[in-house]
Each structure stands twice: as C-alpha cells, then as structure tokens.
Amino acid sequence: SRNWFNYQLVSGPDSYCDMDIDSNDNIHVVYENGSNDIYYSSHTADAWKTAQRIMDFSASYPVYGVACAFDGTNSVLHAIAIVESDLFYATGVVTGSGNIAWSSRCIVSGNVAQYYCDLALDVNGDPWVSYRDTSANAVKYMSEVGSTWTTSGVSGTRGKANSIDVVSNVAYVTYYDSTNGLLGIIKR
C-alpha cells in the first residue's frame, strides 16, 4: 500500500491548477493565483522552488482554466490558460542554471469556452490541446509542429468538459456531450 503525502505549495490560490511529473520524479505545477496571473513552481529534493509568474493578465481578464505538460527530455515545460475567451500557450525552456525562461502567446482568439481545456505532448514533444469552441458548440483539438498550429473540429460533438492524451502519436479526446448526456471518446 502507498501513502499519500500532502505538500502545501502556496496558501490561497483561487482556483485553477494542473501538474505533471518529469522522468526524475520532480513535480511541476501551474496555477492561477487568484489575481488572474499564472504561476509555475516545481518540487525537487523535498523542497518547493519559489513560484515564478509565467503569464500576467493584470487582474483585468479573468482566468478560467490551466493545464501543463513536461516533455520527455526534462528541458521544456508547456502550459495553456483560458483567459476571458482566448486560449494562451506558454513554453518554458530550462536554462543551464536550472531556471526556466518563459514565453507565451495567444493561439486561439475568441470563442473558447471557460473552464474546458487540456494539454498533452506526443512522442516528439509537440503539444496537443483540446478545448471547447463556443461559436461552433463543439470540442476542437489542435497540435503544433514547428511553429505551425493545426486545428480540427470533432464532428458532431456538442462537448463541454474535455481532456486529451496522445499515445504513440495518436490523439484521444474525451468529452461530455451535454445535449445527449453522453461521454464520448474520439481517436485521431
């Protein structure tokens, strides 16, 4: 039997968080701090590193969801956040000193449903994102190869909550069909 451990990263984060564990069993966490900023921290050698702000929305735009994934080489962390009705993507590259240098950009402008997004990496370390498009009332997923994002809709889905995973470069998206009350799984 395994024991659960309770670590307190920070007191008072308002709502959204996600985590990933790298190949060295280090924990990586992204979270919204209650002031519409996205922070990152990691747990290594039984201690939490000081949190680092990776996306700053200056409290003027509400944050509605976050997700993160660490690549298999332990050198790049990927994060997404829904801000107002836009989807932002950030990458953090581990520097020689062990710090992470972050950059972010908007990848979907408008029509992104609040709360519903997820992120996974394929075997090449390329990001895949699932989200709900409010204008089409459908689950969509997108992937980036190089610096080009490709978006696909999931035909016939009236999905709300969704998640994505990529196994052997095959994407699987689960979603809740709110119209028919069904849980669906799509494979690409």
Side-chain angles (χ1 to χ4, degrees):
S1 118
R2 295 184 57 106
N3 294 324
W4 288 94
F5 295 94
N6 185 5
Y7 294 105
Q8 183 172 344
L9 170 61
V10 64
S11 62
D14 192 27
S15 49
Y16 308 103
C17 60
D18 194 25
M19 63 164 276
D20 198 10
I21 300 173
D22 68 26
S23 62
N24 296 321
D25 293 331
N26 297 315
I27 301 167
H28 301 270
V29 176
V30 294
Y31 62 95
E32 188 268 331
N33 71 338
S35 297
N36 297 321
D37 296 326
I38 308 301
Y39 279 81
Y40 160 79
S41 187
S42 62
H43 185 273
T44 58
D46 295 323
W48 285 102
K49 287 188 175 182
T50 301
Q52 180 181 16
R53 184 169 42 199
I54 61 174
M55 292 186 231
D56 177 4
F57 299 105
S58 304
S60 57
Y61 300 103
V63 173
Y64 291 108
V66 298
C68 72
F70 212 97
D71 79 342
T73 66
N74 296 338
S75 61
V76 180
L77 181 71
H78 303 262
I80 58 172
I82 297 174
V83 181
E84 192 69 17
S85 62
D86 299 332
L87 184 61
F88 283 81
Y89 170 72
T91 53
V93 178
V94 178
T95 65
S97 64
N99 293 323
I100 296 184
W102 288 94
S103 65
S104 64
R105 66 189 185 278
C106 182
I107 57 173
V108 179
S109 182
N111 300 319
V112 176
Q114 299 165 354
Y115 314 113
Y116 308 119
C117 66
D118 199 17
L119 169 69
L121 303 177
D122 63 23
V123 296
N124 299 316
D126 295 323
W128 289 69
V129 174
S130 64
Y131 66 97
R132 179 173 173 243
D133 181 322
T134 56
S135 66
N137 194 24
V139 172
K140 290 192 175 179
Y141 60 92
M142 57 194 308
S143 61
E144 182 187 44
V145 176
S147 60
T148 303
W149 284 94
T150 303
T151 303
S152 299
V154 179
S155 177
T157 63
R158 294 174 207 79
K160 282 195 172 184
N162 62 79
S163 66
I164 190 167
D165 200 1
V166 182
V167 179
S168 300
N169 283 343
V170 176
Y172 297 84
V173 177
T174 61
Y175 65 94
Y176 173 68
D177 180 333
S178 57
T179 302
N180 298 310
L182 302 171
L183 177 64
I185 300 175
I186 301 134
K187 175 182 172 184
R188 177 186 182 261

